[in-house]
Amino acid sequence: MRARTDRRKIVEALNGYLFISPWLIIFIIFSLISLGYAVYLSFTEYNLLRPPRWWGLEGYQRVLEDELFLAKALPNTFKYVLIVVPIQTFLSLVLAFAMDQNLRFQRFFRTIFYLPSVTSSVVISLIFIWIFAPQGIFNQITGLTVNWLDDPRTAFYVIMGMNIFTTSGTLMLIFLTGLQDIPLAVYEAAEIDGANGIQKFFYITIPMLRPVIFFVVTVGVIGCFQVFDQIYVMTAGGPLDSTTTITYLIYKWAFRDTRIQMGQASALAVILTLIILAVTLLQRKVIEGSGSGTER
């Protein structure tokens, strides 16, 4: 009897692995092996033309001493995260509240707000290039003569605005799902106790949305640290490296420079992973810490 039960468990396990095998094979080849090889390359000197040569921590040292990384890519990336994440989180939360009300044409507005999220980022980038060109529609409406994407003072902010515009729809849907999961009985009990709209927002909605807020902020932080395609299409890191971020610098060192530095680029990719991990753990501690304080 026991042997039959064990055999059935083995068959069920094999069936399970068989069903997930397509995803598992892709994950192992394109994620695990690629990640391990990138970590290995970060300890080597490699230019795609000769076999990798082991040089230990030399690649990391060069990254941490590189002027472009220290003066442009690193501060630009943190600036991007610190500006975009709070604005897109707040804007998507406001949109979710609006879409949670009994508005006319509610489904139409949800579709309109979500539409940029399902549109190719390259297409959106090209549209923004056209809008913010010297003769573009934005200058024509406002009467300005600014060359937005060729000016180091404005180019990065245009990219930030585009990212906020495209991601707010997706984050709005996540917040909307969280809002609709809050039981109405909790709000009704608060109304009976005399709570007004602001009190219900800060003492019911925000605390019960905390897991959703953590998820949205985490997704936003990771996405902002990895911003690349918009910069590649709109400015190519310029003007004067004012829009160069860490991910674009990785691409530049690995593929674009005349002297290919694949090992150094891999070292920077590892450093970026560690930065994202540290920031995610820090924000989790902050959000969970604020939650425990409220509960007390």
Side-chain angles (χ1 to χ4, degrees), residues 244-257:
T244 296
T245 59
I246 293 178
T247 49
Y248 188 80
L249 187 58
I250 292 172
Y251 160 77
K252 184 178 179 182
W253 284 346
F255 302 107
R256 187 182 162 192
D257 279 355

Side-chain angles (χ1 to χ4, degrees), residues 263-278:
Q264 188 171 321
S266 300
L268 181 53
V270 174
I271 291 174
L272 176 61
T273 304
L274 296 177
I275 291 174
I276 293 174
L277 180 63

Side-chain angles (χ1 to χ4, degrees), residues 66-94:
D66 187 85
E67 186 178 352
L68 183 56
F69 169 69
L70 295 175
K72 295 292 184 180
L74 187 62
N76 281 349
T77 303
F78 274 93
K79 180 181 177 182
Y80 190 87
V81 173
L82 292 174
I83 292 177
V84 171
V85 172
I87 294 177
Q88 74 181 10
T89 303
F90 175 76
L91 181 61
S92 57
L93 184 59
V94 171

Side-chain angles (χ1 to χ4, degrees), residues 102-284:
N102 292 322
L103 301 175
R104 295 184 63 184
F105 309 112
Q106 189 183 63
R107 291 184 179 179
F108 171 76
F109 285 117
R110 285 183 187 178
T111 305
I112 291 298
F113 290 138
Y114 187 66
L115 195 59
S117 301
V118 296
T119 307
S120 166
S121 61
V122 174
V123 173
I124 296 284
S125 300
L126 293 174
I127 292 173
F128 267 69
I129 290 174
W130 173 69
I131 292 174
F132 287 94
Q135 303 300 324
I137 189 171
F138 188 82
N139 277 350
Q140 292 185 23
I141 292 175
T142 59
L144 299 174
T145 56
V146 179
N147 194 349
W148 297 92
L149 293 175
D150 284 337
D151 190 334
R153 296 168 300 178
T154 58
F156 209 28
Y157 296 104
V158 174
I159 297 174
M160 290 180 187
M162 187 193 66
N163 190 284
I164 293 169
F165 171 74
T166 54
T167 56
S168 296
T170 302
L171 302 183
M172 175 200 72
L173 287 185
I174 298 172
F175 272 129
L176 189 59
T177 305
L179 286 172
Q180 293 177 346
D181 279 344
I182 300 176
L184 291 177
V186 179
Y187 289 111
E188 293 170 354
E191 290 175 0
I192 293 174
D193 289 338
N196 56 33
I198 297 177
Q199 289 171 325
K200 286 191 291 184
F201 177 78
F202 283 105
Y203 293 105
I204 296 177
T205 305
I206 294 298
M208 298 194 76
L209 275 180
R210 186 172 296 112
V212 180
I213 294 173
F214 172 72
F215 177 76
V216 167
V217 173
T218 300
V219 170
V221 166
I222 293 173
C224 287
F225 270 115
Q226 296 178 337
V227 60
F228 170 76
D229 43 356
Q230 297 93 338
I231 292 174
Y232 175 80
V233 174
M234 296 177 71
T235 60
L240 301 176
D241 295 317
S242 62
T243 62
T244 296
T245 59
I246 293 178
T247 49
Y248 188 80
L249 187 58
I250 292 172
Y251 160 77
K252 184 178 179 182
W253 284 346
F255 302 107
R256 187 182 162 192
D257 279 355
T258 52
R259 179 172 172 267
I260 296 175
Q261 307 169 81
M262 187 65 74
Q264 188 171 321
S266 300
L268 181 53
V270 174
I271 291 174
L272 176 61
T273 304
L274 296 177
I275 291 174
I276 293 174
L277 180 63
V279 172
T280 303
L281 292 177
L282 177 64
Q283 75 182 36
R284 179 179 179 180

